[in-house]
Amino acid sequence: MKRSVRFVLAIGLIGSAAGSKAATIITLGSGFKGPTGVAVDASGNVFVADSLNHAVKEIVAAGGYKTVNTLGTGFSGLRGVAVDASGNVFIAQAGAVNEILAAGGYTTINTLGSGFAFPYGVAVDAGGNVFVADAGDNAVKEILAAGGYTTVNTLGSGFNQPYGVAVDGSGNVFVADAVNSAVKVILAIGDYTWVETLGSGFTIPSGIAIDASDNVFVADTLNDAVKVILPAGGYTTVNTLGSGFNYPSGVAVDASGNVFVADTNSNTVKEILAEGIFRDDFEG
């Protein structure tokens, strides 16, 4: 299975026993209604697409994840959220992809690209390029930062209502391909034409995230589960993390391996702590 160099050499640091350990799950903030997307920045602040409140919110890490700030309101069909290294927040809503600028206190909202039908998922790479799971077009797209976010390219093919998207450090794009009940990767090599399937056993996966070790985290929505696909062995091993979720739609992971979940039907944002479930495996 041909991949970019980083993709080939990735060694999973989450052991196969991870799914058998007791997970500690905590609830962050309050006041959410139908959260569908979640992202986390380098400081541990958590950004939420709070869909039925038509708002984007931030759960502040300082103080123990109790303070919730609203960054923008009035959104329609809000689904996915991402954050870049500068704190700018990217969102997918009905018919549009937007950026809420951190400068000025999250008051300026820009529209990026055009021609989207119903964007569900959004991700951003280190260069500021924005990747979109456009469920309404059955397509995964990239909005190029160069030129002011006006150029939109379509990546790969064969998707059926992709809901989630993530990108690794080498530019490989991971997709929660919902109606195909599959998790896929569009390889950066070959100009994003090569698509492969990772793992199995998903039912309407909606959210997806990837950590620095290339472990792939999935909000497996209709199975009410959060799962991880391990890179060791060629992305065939799938473990379940924690339990008690109700229609999880979004997932994110921080640098320490803590996993954040937008648990839609329970109207909560949850964190699966790395300590006690991942940590032993991270440290060998």
Side-chain angles (χ1 to χ4, degrees):
M1 188 160 59
K2 188 176 179 182
R3 299 186 180 96
S4 68
V5 173
R6 184 171 180 271
F7 205 74
V8 170
L9 296 180
I11 302 297
L13 295 181
I14 297 179
S16 59
S20 64
K21 297 180 182 178
T24 299
I25 301 174
I26 61 175
T27 297
L28 311 182
S30 61
F32 303 106
K33 190 175 181 181
T36 51
V38 65
V40 58
D41 69 14
S43 298
N45 302 301
V46 178
F47 298 84
V48 183
D50 194 14
S51 66
L52 296 184
N53 281 322
H54 309 291
V56 175
K57 298 181 179 178
E58 176 189 16
I59 313 172
V60 180
Y65 292 104
K66 296 178 182 178
T67 300
V68 179
N69 297 325
T70 298
L71 308 185
T73 59
F75 301 108
S76 175
L78 188 60
R79 290 295 182 270
V81 63
V83 59
D84 69 13
S86 299
N88 301 302
V89 177
F90 300 82
I91 62 170
Q93 64 169 323
V97 176
N98 301 107
E99 178 186 13
I100 310 174
L101 298 181
Y106 295 102
T107 57
T108 301
I109 302 176
N110 296 326
T111 298
L112 311 183
S114 60
F116 301 106
F118 203 137
Y120 257 64
V122 64
V124 58
D125 68 13
N129 301 298
V130 177
F131 298 83
V132 183
D134 191 4
D137 273 343
N138 296 319
V140 176
K141 300 176 181 179
E142 178 186 14
I143 313 171
L144 299 181
Y149 293 104
T150 57
T151 300
V152 180
N153 295 326
T154 297
L155 313 181
S157 60
F159 303 106
N160 192 347
Q161 293 188 33
Y163 281 2
V165 65
V167 58
D168 70 12
S170 296
N172 301 301
V173 179
F174 297 78
V175 184
D177 194 18
V179 175
N180 282 326
S181 288
V183 174
K184 300 179 180 180
V185 59
I186 313 171
L187 301 182
I189 56 173
D191 295 324
Y192 292 104
T193 58
W194 197 329
V195 180
E196 297 179 355
T197 298
L198 312 180
S200 60
F202 304 102
T203 306
I204 312 295
S206 296
I208 191 165
I210 184 165
D211 69 12
S213 300
D214 290 332
N215 301 294
V216 179
F217 299 84
V218 182
D220 191 13
T221 303
L222 289 194
N223 282 324
D224 289 328
V226 176
K227 299 179 179 179
V228 58
I229 314 173
L230 306 182
Y235 290 96
T236 57
T237 299
V238 181
N239 290 333
T240 297
L241 310 180
S243 60
F245 299 104
N246 189 348
Y247 208 86
S249 297
V251 66
V253 59
D254 69 14
S256 298
N258 301 299
V259 178
F260 300 84
V261 183
D263 198 30
T264 304
N265 283 357
S266 71
N267 297 315
T268 58
V269 175
K270 298 178 179 179
E271 179 184 10
I272 311 171
L273 299 183
E275 193 69 42
I277 181 168
F278 306 132
R279 188 69 62 183
D280 292 344
D281 300 302
F282 279 156
E283 295 178 352

